[in-house]
């Protein structure tokens, strides 16, 4: 039997997926979690072979859960399930250690097959997302521009960002301005969204 953990903050989806997987003769859903931290705790407690985690969850998202499980329980393969995956998310998930990336709109038996594949040591990426990821442009931002944009993501004032990165406020403004311009954005918030969608942040 392949032991499976399911983590999704939407109860209806989590229960429905658990019921579907329960029909498979070789899969056993041993634990469920409604947020990222609970998923990590439940994985340590129940020791599943595969953790199926939603991309967007409170506390820790699916990518952060994949990264944490790669650190604390690397033998547990992680499959990220997403309602609206973007190519950038795919890249981040694989970098974090996920072995599978599956849209929620996939056919019913597809998830069970992916679980079997990653448990056997393989990988699975939705083909359309993989094709989109291959055509993503390279990040046009310098490491410093990315660093300042990452801090601006949470609305930090320029003075706070400057202190954190040990630069003058003028230099931080220049980096943020360059990032906005290079990404063709109208402001910092749009630049952050563009960088996130492309998996650069």
């Amino acid at each position: 039997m392949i032991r499976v953990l399911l983590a999704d903050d939407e109860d209806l989806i989590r229960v429905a997926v658990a019921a579907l997987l329960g029909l498979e003769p070789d899969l056993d859903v041993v634990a469920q979690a409604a947020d990222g931290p609970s998923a990590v705790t439940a994985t340590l407690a129940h020791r599943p072979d595969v953790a199926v985690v939603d991309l967007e969850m409170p506390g820790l998202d699916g990518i952060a859960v994949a990264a944490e499980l790669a650190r604390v329980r690397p033998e547990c393969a992680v499959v990220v399930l997403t309602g609206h995956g973007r190519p950038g998310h795919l890249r981040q998930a694989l970098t974090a250690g996920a072995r599978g990336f599956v849209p929620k709109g996939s056919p019913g038996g597809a998830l069970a097959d992916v679980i079997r594949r990653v448990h056997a040591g393989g990988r699975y990426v939705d083909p359309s997302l993989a094709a989109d990821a291959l055509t993503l442009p390279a990040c046009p931002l310098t490491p410093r521009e990315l660093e300042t944009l990452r801090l601006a993501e949470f609305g930090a004032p320029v003075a706070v960002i400057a202190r954190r990165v040990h630069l003058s406020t003028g230099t931080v403004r220049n980096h943020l301005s360059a990032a906005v311009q290079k990404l063709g954005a109208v402001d910092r918030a749009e630049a952050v969204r563009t960088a996130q969608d492309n998996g650069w942040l």
Side-chain angles (χ1 to χ4, degrees):
M1 292 291 281
I2 301 172
R3 295 166 58 81
V4 180
L5 170 133
L6 287 178
D8 195 310
D9 60 322
E10 296 182 51
D11 289 347
L12 185 60
I13 290 174
R14 189 177 68 249
V15 171
V17 171
L20 279 173
L21 294 180
L23 299 174
E24 302 289 333
D26 57 338
L27 303 182
D28 181 19
V29 178
V30 296
Q32 297 183 37
D35 58 50
S38 299
V40 173
T41 301
T43 299
L44 294 173
H46 296 277
R47 307 183 69 75
D49 302 305
V50 178
V52 178
V53 300
D54 187 26
L55 177 64
E56 295 183 358
M57 292 186 293
L60 295 171
D61 65 12
I63 293 169
V65 169
E68 182 62 12
L69 293 184
R71 189 180 71 79
V72 299
R73 193 152 191 279
E75 61 273 26
C76 177
V78 176
V79 175
V80 175
L81 200 58
T82 177
H84 44 281
R86 296 187 179 96
H89 291 148
L90 168 60
R91 184 181 292 166
Q92 290 173 328
L94 295 178
T95 300
R99 300 197 61 81
F101 199 85
V102 183
K104 286 183 178 176
S106 299
L111 181 59
D113 290 340
V114 171
I115 290 170
R116 293 182 188 103
R117 182 183 295 194
V118 301
H119 179 253
R123 290 180 182 269
Y124 177 84
V125 173
D126 176 69
S128 61
L129 280 175
D132 290 344
L134 288 173
T135 60
L136 274 180
C139 179
L141 305 181
T142 67
R144 276 295 197 184
E145 289 164 355
L146 269 176
E147 184 181 19
T148 54
L149 195 60
R150 185 173 289 112
L151 291 170
E153 174 181 5
F154 304 106
V158 169
V160 172
I161 296 172
R163 279 197 302 276
R164 284 205 179 152
V165 295
H166 308 293
L167 296 172
S168 71
T169 55
T171 302
V172 168
R173 278 194 192 91
N174 289 342
H175 284 320
L176 291 173
S177 178
V180 168
Q181 184 178 6
K182 286 180 180 180
L183 298 179
V186 296
D187 58 20
R188 272 189 241 166
E190 186 180 338
V192 166
R193 283 194 301 275
T194 299
Q196 287 173 333
D197 288 349
N198 283 287
W200 300 328
L201 282 184

